């Protein structure tokens, strides 16, 4: 199993505070069935800057520790990039890491409660450069929950999306869980990832999420999500979903 979003690097963001904690999280990942993990520290989110060169170096050092402790996890350098006005400059300066080595898939984060007004233009600029944004955890973005059409538009233009495994199994509450299911139903989900942090009540839920996906949507979805993750990390093309709109009456009432 491949995990394309986690905060396992020690001492770089709000993920793991120390190497001991990182090794514990890595053990948890392996126990949950994960073989490959893209390490995605926050970048340019207003608090954390994790530059490309540093992340590559830290990922190599972490791999050495994993090997030394006989933890069978292969890690790759990545970033969870917050959408921001300096993103194109950062790309020009070669300071952005992608999910794949060829620079095709970008793990793109929005603020928790907003989708900035320049998002549409930024996505256009990225796609002009041959970059495909993967919108991370849209199911937890309160603006998208109120106005799911925002995500629908982005996916219709060829963006992808990553649902956090914990969201789908209920770790972030009923509303997020229900919205996750609606997104999957509407073809608005491409992959699961852990978004693992070292936080109380936050556990690896990838196996649980895939089991639930199998129960609720069938094995075709399980194999498509798995295949998508593999294609993304390899920089290969994947088949776009037939994206439908989410009916959001429930969310209008709730918010
Ligand atoms: Fe994250």
């Amino acid at each position: 199993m491949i995990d394309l979003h986690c905060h396992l690097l020690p001492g770089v963001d709000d993920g793991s505070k120390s190497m001991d904690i990182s090794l514990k999280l890595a053990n948890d990942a392996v126990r949950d069935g994960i073989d490959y993990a893209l390490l995605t520290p926050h970048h340019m989110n207003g608090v954390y800057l994790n530059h490309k060169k540093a992340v590559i170096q830290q990922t190599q050092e972490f791999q050495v520790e994993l090997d030394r402790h006989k933890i069978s996890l292969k890690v790759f350098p990545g970033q969870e990039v917050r959408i921001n006005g300096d993103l194109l400059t950062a790309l020009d300066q070669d300071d952005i890491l992608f999910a794949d080595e060829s620079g095709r898939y970008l793990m793109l984060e929005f603020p928790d409660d907003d989708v900035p007004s320049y998002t549409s233009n930024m996505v256009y600029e990225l796609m002009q450069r041959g970059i495909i944004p993967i919108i991370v955890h849209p199911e937890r973005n309160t603006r998208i929950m109120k106005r799911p059409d925002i995500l629908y538009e982005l996916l219709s233009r060829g963006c992808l999306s990553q649902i956090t495994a914990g969201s789908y199994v209920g770790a972030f509450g009923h509303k997020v869980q229900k919205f996750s299911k609606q997104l999957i139903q509407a073809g608005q989900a491409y992959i699961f990832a852990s978004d693992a942090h070292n936080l109380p009540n936050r556990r690896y839920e990838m196996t649980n999420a895939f089991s639930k996906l199998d129960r609720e949507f069938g094995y075709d979805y399980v194999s498509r999500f798995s295949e998508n993750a593999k294609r993304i990390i390899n920089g290969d093309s994947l088949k776009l979903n037939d994206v439908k709109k989410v009916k959001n009456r429930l969310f209008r009432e709730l918010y």
Side-chain angles (χ1 to χ4, degrees):
M1 189 153 49
I2 300 166
D3 184 9
L4 290 172
H5 181 170
C6 65
H7 299 265
L8 257 58
L9 278 179
V12 303
D13 65 356
D14 59 345
S16 163
K17 294 266 180 295
S18 66
M19 183 58 80
D20 280 355
I21 292 172
S22 294
L23 293 171
K24 180 201 159 290
L25 286 169
N27 263 318
D28 292 348
V30 171
R31 260 198 297 274
D32 196 32
I34 294 163
D35 308 283
Y36 303 96
L38 182 73
L39 308 182
T40 52
H42 291 288
H43 186 45
M44 304 179 89
N45 72 345
V47 182
Y48 300 108
L49 281 173
N50 281 295
H51 295 289
K52 176 175 171 175
K53 270 194 185 141
V55 176
I56 291 171
Q57 171 82 24
Q58 288 153 342
T59 302
Q60 282 167 353
E61 289 165 7
F62 187 40
Q63 186 70 66
V64 170
E65 286 300 304
L66 290 169
D67 296 345
R68 204 164 67 84
H69 287 83
K70 309 229 175 323
I71 300 170
S72 56
L73 185 70
K74 173 96 177 99
V75 290
F76 301 95
Q79 287 167 335
E80 176 179 9
V81 180
R82 175 70 63 92
I83 194 163
N84 71 86
D86 295 327
L87 179 51
L88 299 178
T89 309
L91 282 163
D92 290 339
Q93 292 170 345
D94 190 26
D95 194 27
I96 296 297
L97 281 160
F98 295 81
D100 59 302
E101 276 201 320
S102 59
R104 186 172 192 182
Y105 296 107
L106 177 71
M107 304 301 284
L108 187 66
E109 181 196 40
F110 297 146
D112 291 345
D113 55 358
D114 194 18
V115 178
S117 54
Y118 61 84
T119 296
S120 184
N121 285 341
M122 180 65 77
V123 164
Y124 174 81
E125 294 289 343
L126 293 172
M127 292 188 122
Q128 284 290 101
R129 293 170 180 233
I131 296 167
I132 300 172
I134 301 176
I135 315 294
V136 304
H137 43 66
E139 79 283 358
R140 286 164 51 205
N141 178 291
T142 54
R143 184 152 168 78
I144 292 175
M145 290 173 86
K146 279 181 234 172
R147 292 202 41 214
D149 280 2
I150 296 173
L151 183 66
Y152 171 80
E153 300 294 337
L154 293 169
L155 299 185
S156 300
R157 288 165 56 189
C159 290
L160 307 181
S161 63
Q162 169 255 302
I163 303 284
T164 296
S167 298
Y168 180 51
V169 299
F172 299 95
H174 175 68
K175 282 178 279 190
V176 170
Q177 183 176 24
K178 188 173 171 66
F179 191 39
S180 303
K181 187 173 175 181
Q182 286 181 309
L183 292 178
I184 296 169
Q185 229 151 15
Q188 295 195 36
Y190 283 87
I191 52 166
F192 283 143
S194 74
D195 193 10
H197 287 72
N198 182 47
L199 292 170
N201 308 320
R202 222 30 204 273
R203 296 180 316 163
Y204 270 91
E205 300 282 10
M206 292 286 273
T207 298
N208 281 341
F210 273 110
S211 303
K212 188 166 187 264
L213 188 68
D214 192 10
R215 280 199 308 278
E216 293 189 330
F217 291 94
Y219 193 73
D220 277 1
Y221 276 73
V222 173
S223 48
R224 199 182 320 152
F225 275 38
S226 307
E227 180 68 20
N228 286 343
K230 192 171 144 193
R231 286 180 173 272
I232 288 167
I233 204 161
N234 285 330
D236 295 333
S237 299
L238 54 81
K239 192 172 167 286
L240 291 181
N241 293 344
D242 177 18
V243 179
K244 297 192 172 63
K245 288 198 175 197
V246 169
K247 293 182 185 65
N248 67 334
R249 187 177 298 165
L250 174 70
F251 289 98
R252 285 222 182 92
E253 286 164 11
L254 287 171
Y255 282 91

